[in-house]
Amino acid sequence: VLVDLRLPDGDGLSLLEDAHAADPHAAAVVLTGFSSVENAVAALKAGAYDFLAKPCPEERLLASVHRAAERYELSRTLVARTGELETINGELDRRVKDATKEIFTLNERLKKTVKELVDFNKRQTRFLEDMAHELKNPLAVVIGYSSFLLRRPMSEWTLDELERSLQSVARNSQHLHALIEELLDSARLAGRKM
């Protein structure tokens, strides 16, 4: 907008205010023959980009109008870019919130899975400890009777003593075999569940 302070049908400052009301980015150059500090301050307060006194060299007027036009374009571009950035920022905020919520959900699921695995590991360890104890008892009997029988020559044993010892070894060996089969069945069942 290029305006004089004194117009035949009104005031140039009022025209500046109307121009800014219509377009807040409007850049005005005031060119007047009534140059004073008070007029310059009033024009700048009313939103003028530049204040030039008449007579004004053409180059200076053109340079001022050119700068005002650049300011106008820069101001509009800034507002447009600011709006775009606010839109992008809003979208990024939404995406961050969604991702944070998803991470929280996945973290909760991970905690639950870890707890289940820890519990399973404890149960499995306890089961293996119990199974080792159950296998150790009959095996100790088998080893004990075998060692007992091998301490002296076979010819020194009576048939009754040998039969009782071998029956105990056979009974405990069968019990040990049954425990091992039970362990294998449990392992097969656990494999199907997983």
Side-chain angles (χ1 to χ4, degrees):
V1 176
L2 183 59
V3 67
D4 197 339
L5 280 182
R6 296 204 182 158
L7 301 169
D9 59 347
D11 177 356
L13 293 180
S14 297
L15 184 61
L16 276 178
E17 291 170 1
D18 291 345
H20 278 286
D23 184 355
H25 309 289
V29 175
V30 175
L31 180 65
T32 186
F34 301 98
S35 177
S36 71
V37 174
E38 293 83 20
N39 286 343
V41 170
L44 294 174
K45 281 184 178 180
Y49 173 74
D50 203 355
F51 185 88
L52 302 173
K54 290 182 189 175
C56 177
E58 185 179 333
E59 307 83 48
R60 187 167 176 209
L61 177 61
L62 288 174
S64 181
V65 168
H66 181 69
R67 286 191 311 271
E70 283 180 348
R71 181 188 175 279
Y72 176 76
E73 286 303 318
L74 288 172
S75 178
R76 287 175 52 99
T77 301
L78 177 64
V79 168
R81 294 293 183 256
T82 300
E84 290 172 7
L85 287 174
E86 287 172 354
T87 301
I88 290 168
N89 191 38
E91 177 63 20
L92 285 175
D93 280 348
R94 185 193 60 76
R95 290 169 82 183
V96 167
K97 285 178 185 174
D98 290 348
T100 301
K101 184 178 177 183
E102 184 177 351
I103 288 169
F104 179 78
T105 301
L106 290 173
N107 191 42
E108 290 302 310
R109 284 177 42 198
L110 181 62
K111 284 180 188 177
K112 181 181 176 190
T113 302
V114 167
K115 184 184 180 317
E116 289 171 356
L117 288 173
V118 166
D119 291 346
F120 176 76
N121 190 41
K122 286 178 183 176
R123 287 192 308 272
Q124 190 176 30
T125 300
R126 181 68 184 147
F127 173 77
L128 291 174
E129 288 170 352
D130 291 346
M131 188 52 63
H133 180 72
E134 290 295 320
L135 292 172
K136 203 171 166 186
N137 287 340
L139 188 57
V141 172
V142 169
I143 292 170
Y145 273 104
S146 304
S147 298
F148 178 71
L149 289 173
L150 292 173
R151 276 192 210 150
R152 27 184 234 212
M154 288 293 157
S155 58
E156 293 181 12
W157 293 101
T158 66
L159 272 164
D160 188 44
E161 291 173 321
L162 283 173
E163 187 176 340
R164 268 191 322 220
S165 295
L166 287 174
Q167 282 176 351
S168 182
V169 167
R171 237 186 356 267
N172 282 285
S173 296
Q174 288 170 352
H175 182 63
L176 188 58
H177 182 265
L179 288 173
I180 291 171
E181 284 299 319
E182 191 177 309
L183 179 62
L184 288 172
D185 288 343
S186 295
R188 286 185 202 112
L189 284 173
R192 287 188 194 135
K193 287 181 184 177
M194 296 180 151

